[in-house]
Amino acid sequence: MPQTRVTIDAETMLVALLGWPVKHSASPRFHNAALEALGINATYMAFAVPPERFTDAFRGLQALGAVGANFTVPHKEAACSLCDELSPAAQVIEAVNTVKFEKGQAVGYNTDAYGIAAALAEEGLKFRGNNVVILGAGGAARGIITQAFLDGAARLTVANRTVPRAEQLVAHLLEKCRQLKPAERKHPLPTCMVVPYDDIKAALRDADVLINATSVGLKKDDPPLFNPALISPATFVYDTIYNPAQTQLLIEAKQHGCRRTANGLTMLLHQGARAFEIWFGRKAPLQLMRNELFDPSAWSRKKA
Ligand code: ATR
């Protein structure tokens, strides 16, 4: 953690994080560290904004000339509806976690979705041409399924406890992808399947990537969604959960011979790095942001 701090003066630029609540967020810590390291005269501030004040807060930031903003729960859908232009991923997901204010326009992005692609790239992997299994059909799964579509996965299986919810989500996202302009849709859409956990065996047999996008695993004693012995040792297993750092899924996958596993911290890191690059047009100091995020002592130092 650099010891210097940006001195706030009459030219200091603002980037805001709007959430409700927001005090748990790690984003101010790693964005401010990055701004300091690059000597950018800007500050990243978190604001707890209730849903009924969100439009005022969004427009207020724009009026103040803020560089941009991040949005977290529950504001991502409202932010999407206030943007003038949307990235392809944001159009499909219908949720925006990053906005850049420029030339009177609000341009919306979903860098959460990009984060999963970058997390795979860290393992030398991509969705393109691969067999992907995604667990879950909630908000987290929405972005990941979309990125798998946009990046050209070969086959996509979504497993969910409530099968109709997953069927509806997949059909909706496929339709939204088809509505993109041809230039925004670079790859053919994958073959898609939706299964209950009891029928996941066949999909797991030749899965290149398995991603948990459910909340199962947040509690250490959460029972597994399916028999982890079904996971092939060649599969890369990713859990979007990062606290606990080792979920039961990751522990059991390793016990059954999977050599490649990772938790959701890399998604968090890369969504932030991409947002930084959108706002400032400069390469984000990834290693420094990673150290901030991965070093638990930095968290306690800050809280002290
Ligand atoms: P998020 O926005 O974090 O994705 P969500 O919309 O509440 O949160 O979705 C949570 C996901 O975890 C869903 O896929 C949910 O399955 P259902 O669609 O069947 O509800 C899944 N989930 C949560 N608790 C679960 C449990 N005990 N067993 C199986 N799946 C569970």
Side-chain angles (χ1 to χ4, degrees):
M1 169 78 191
Q3 293 306 307
T4 54
R5 291 207 70 86
V6 169
T7 306
I8 307 281
D9 61 23
E11 291 180 291
T12 304
M13 296 175 282
L14 173 66
V15 179
L17 166 66
L18 307 187
W20 181 254
V22 82
K23 66 173 185 235
H24 61 277
S25 173
S27 295
R29 194 160 47 76
F30 74 83
H31 277 297
N32 283 315
L35 291 168
E36 284 168 24
L38 297 191
I40 298 174
N41 188 1
T43 190
Y44 184 106
M45 298 271 297
F47 299 94
V49 176
E52 65 275 16
R53 302 307 307 273
F54 180 76
T55 302
D56 288 348
F58 184 102
R59 296 282 183 229
L61 287 172
Q62 202 170 10
L64 289 171
V67 178
N70 272 152
F71 309 107
T72 186
V73 178
H75 298 318
K76 294 182 188 184
E77 290 78 18
C80 187
S81 67
L82 292 173
C83 287
D84 304 294
E85 247 182 76
L86 294 170
S87 71
Q91 283 176 56
V92 176
I93 302 166
E94 297 170 289
V96 159
N97 79 320
T98 301
V99 72
K100 181 168 188 192
F101 298 120
E102 52 183 350
K103 300 183 193 120
Q105 301 279 295
V107 185
Y109 301 83
N110 193 305
T111 71
D112 294 330
Y114 164 85
I116 185 65
L120 293 187
E122 285 205 358
E123 299 295 322
L125 270 168
K126 43 185 149 181
F127 283 126
R128 176 103 185 98
N130 276 323
N131 294 337
V132 179
V133 178
I134 295 172
L135 313 176
R142 200 176 176 91
I144 295 169
I145 295 170
T146 299
Q147 195 67 35
F149 284 172
L150 294 178
D151 285 355
R155 197 186 66 213
L156 182 88
T157 306
V158 177
N160 201 42
R161 176 179 57 182
T162 316
V163 168
R165 183 183 186 192
E167 284 171 343
Q168 248 175 13
L169 179 68
V170 169
H172 180 74
L173 295 177
L174 278 173
E175 188 47 39
K176 296 289 294 181
C177 279
R178 290 192 188 100
Q179 288 167 10
L180 290 174
K181 296 189 194 106
E184 293 171 330
R185 185 154 53 86
K186 299 194 181 83
H187 306 292
L189 289 166
T191 312
C192 293
M193 273 188 318
V194 173
V195 295
Y197 294 114
D198 285 349
D199 294 342
I200 199 172
K201 188 173 174 182
L204 286 177
R205 200 172 298 132
D206 61 349
D208 300 293
V209 179
L210 167 66
I211 301 170
N212 177 36
T214 73
S215 47
V216 176
L218 278 171
K219 287 189 248 115
K220 283 225 177 235
D221 55 356
D222 277 342
L225 291 165
F226 54 85
N227 177 3
L230 296 174
I231 303 172
S232 150
T235 305
F236 170 59
V237 184
Y238 192 85
D239 203 320
T240 58
I241 293 171
Y242 53 84
N243 190 11
Q246 293 298 314
T247 58
Q248 218 42 46
L249 174 70
L250 296 185
I251 293 166
E252 302 226 20
K254 277 187 270 199
Q255 279 169 0
H256 288 100
C258 289
R259 271 168 284 114
R260 292 186 303 175
T261 64
N263 73 24
L265 273 181
T266 47
M267 255 185 96
L268 190 63
L269 169 71
H270 288 289
Q271 65 73 31
R274 179 84 189 103
F276 188 97
E277 291 172 0
I278 288 167
W279 297 318
F280 298 105
R282 290 175 65 171
K283 206 155 174 37
L286 201 58
Q287 194 52 46
L288 176 131
M289 292 170 95
R290 187 190 301 272
N291 293 345
E292 275 295 311
L293 200 57
F294 287 28
D295 173 10
S297 66
W299 294 63
S300 47
R301 271 206 312 274
K302 274 279 173 171
K303 278 185 193 150

